[in-house]
Amino acid sequence: MKIKDIDSLHQEDLENSLHPSIFYTDENYDLFILRLPSFLNNKLEFLNYSFIITNEEYAYFDNQNKQIISLNSIKEFYLYLDKSIKSTMKLTNDYYSKVLDLEESVYENKKQDSFNKTWYEYKNELIRVNRILYKANEALENLIDNYKNEKDYLERNFANIQEHLQRSYRTTGLCLEKLDVLYNFHQSKTSEQMNKIVYVLTLLSGIFLPLNLIVGFFGMNTTSLPFTKFENGTYFVISILIMTGILASILIIYLKRK
């Protein structure tokens, strides 16, 4: 098969590196595009695997060189898909391991300097992967449904890669659920810590506000202040401060128990 044998619109679909997964049937050939996630240079990318299927042959479209490469048999077609989908399954399992590590660190109260940044990065990437895999599952299912009555090898052998693709899709969904639960837990823990800090500050304020009032009163530069003419006036003021602090503490403990 040559590129000139392909409809111009379908040729545009083949050459479009952003085209979503799709299975399309035509009178002379069928078009199958599978879009899968991949890590390139430690960055999440999405690659298209495009195939043209006729009654006589299976062919792969090399988007980089803009040419159609004939596959020798249905087995080679299967192995090509199997290799790509296994890579996808490994990618989603790696994400699952990363989410578990993040979950463990949060639940064990390990220090998290950049939880929000890490969480957002995982969440954003997994949403994209999940959407891509949903379309990929749909396209592969349409391919199998279209051929299984005519060629039982598709129903028998391709069920394996379909299960792998579905498992990858479910893994991303599980990761997203875990991230949502983890975020809610982290926010609750942060709010609880803030409430404890505010509570402690409130207790300290309840104790020291009366003391500040008394110190401010006796610190005024006015005449006729109490104890100014007593020999031990300073000790009287200190005693008042101590008694006030004790009474405030007792009152706070009493109200807390109530």
Side-chain angles (χ1 to χ4, degrees):
M1 178 178 288
K2 299 180 180 179
I3 293 182
K4 65 180 182 179
D5 300 327
I6 305 296
D7 184 270
S8 59
L9 293 178
H10 295 160
Q11 185 176 338
E12 290 180 4
D13 292 340
L14 291 172
E15 295 177 356
N16 183 7
S17 60
L18 301 178
H19 198 285
S21 300
I22 191 174
F23 175 72
Y24 178 81
T25 58
D26 191 78
E27 293 181 0
N28 301 321
Y29 56 84
D30 294 338
L31 191 66
F32 178 53
I33 299 177
L34 193 65
R35 185 169 175 81
L36 297 175
S38 179
F39 268 116
L40 298 176
N41 299 323
N42 295 324
K43 184 179 179 182
L44 179 64
E45 300 286 352
F46 297 95
L47 304 178
N48 280 13
Y49 302 91
S50 305
F51 302 90
I52 303 98
I53 305 172
T54 68
N55 294 328
E56 294 80 19
E57 65 175 337
Y58 295 83
Y60 170 72
F61 180 75
D62 186 352
N63 202 354
Q64 185 174 0
N65 298 317
K66 307 301 180 185
Q67 62 180 2
I68 296 176
I69 301 174
S70 180
L71 302 177
N72 295 325
S73 63
I74 178 62
K75 184 177 180 180
E76 189 172 345
F77 175 49
Y78 164 78
L79 292 175
Y80 204 108
L81 288 177
D82 185 52
K83 180 181 178 181
S84 304
I85 292 176
K86 281 183 178 178
S87 297
T88 298
M89 189 166 59
K90 181 181 182 304
L91 181 144
T92 55
N93 287 337
D94 289 343
Y95 269 116
Y96 185 75
S97 298
K98 291 178 181 178
V99 172
L100 285 182
D101 291 340
L102 181 64
E103 184 180 50
E104 182 180 355
S105 64
V106 172
Y107 289 155
E108 293 183 358
N109 293 322
K110 294 181 180 178
K111 187 176 180 181
Q112 286 287 332
D113 295 330
S114 57
F115 171 82
N116 289 331
K117 179 182 178 181
T118 303
W119 181 88
Y120 179 78
E121 179 183 340
Y122 290 168
K123 180 78 172 181
N124 183 47
E125 291 180 354
L126 281 166
I127 287 176
R128 295 168 62 198
V129 173
N130 185 263
R131 290 174 179 172
I132 292 296
L133 291 182
Y134 175 80
K135 293 293 294 182
N137 270 288
E138 188 179 67
L140 183 60
E141 184 177 354
N142 291 337
L143 171 72
I144 296 175
D145 289 342
N146 186 76
Y147 284 104
K148 67 180 182 181
N149 294 328
E150 300 176 6
K151 302 176 182 180
D152 59 352
Y153 59 79
L154 275 169
E155 185 177 11
R156 184 175 64 253
N157 296 330
F158 279 61
N160 183 46
I161 60 174
Q162 184 183 29
E163 192 276 332
H164 288 170
L165 195 59
Q166 290 173 346
R167 190 192 308 175
S168 298
Y169 175 70
R170 291 194 300 270
T171 300
T172 57
L174 179 60
C175 287
L176 289 171
E177 291 179 5
K178 280 184 171 293
L179 285 175
D180 289 338
V181 173
L182 194 59
Y183 182 80
N184 291 333
F185 175 80
H186 183 266
Q187 291 298 104
S188 299
K189 188 173 70 171
T190 303
S191 299
E192 183 179 356
Q193 292 173 347
M194 291 298 297
N195 290 337
K196 288 181 179 179
I197 293 174
V198 172
Y199 176 72
V200 172
L201 291 176
T202 302
L203 292 180
L204 293 176
S205 298
I207 295 173
F208 286 101
L209 279 176
L211 301 181
N212 289 336
L213 179 63
I214 295 173
V215 170
F217 174 77
F218 285 100
M220 292 187 299
N221 295 322
T222 57
T223 58
S224 301
L225 284 174
F227 310 121
T228 54
K229 297 181 180 180
F230 285 90
E231 182 178 354
N232 297 320
T234 300
Y235 296 107
F236 279 107
V237 175
I238 293 175
S239 300
I240 293 173
L241 291 175
I242 293 174
M243 290 300 299
T244 303
I246 294 173
L247 289 174
S249 300
I250 293 173
L251 180 61
I252 289 174
I253 293 173
Y254 174 78
L255 292 175
K256 181 180 178 182
R257 289 181 177 179
K258 284 292 183 179

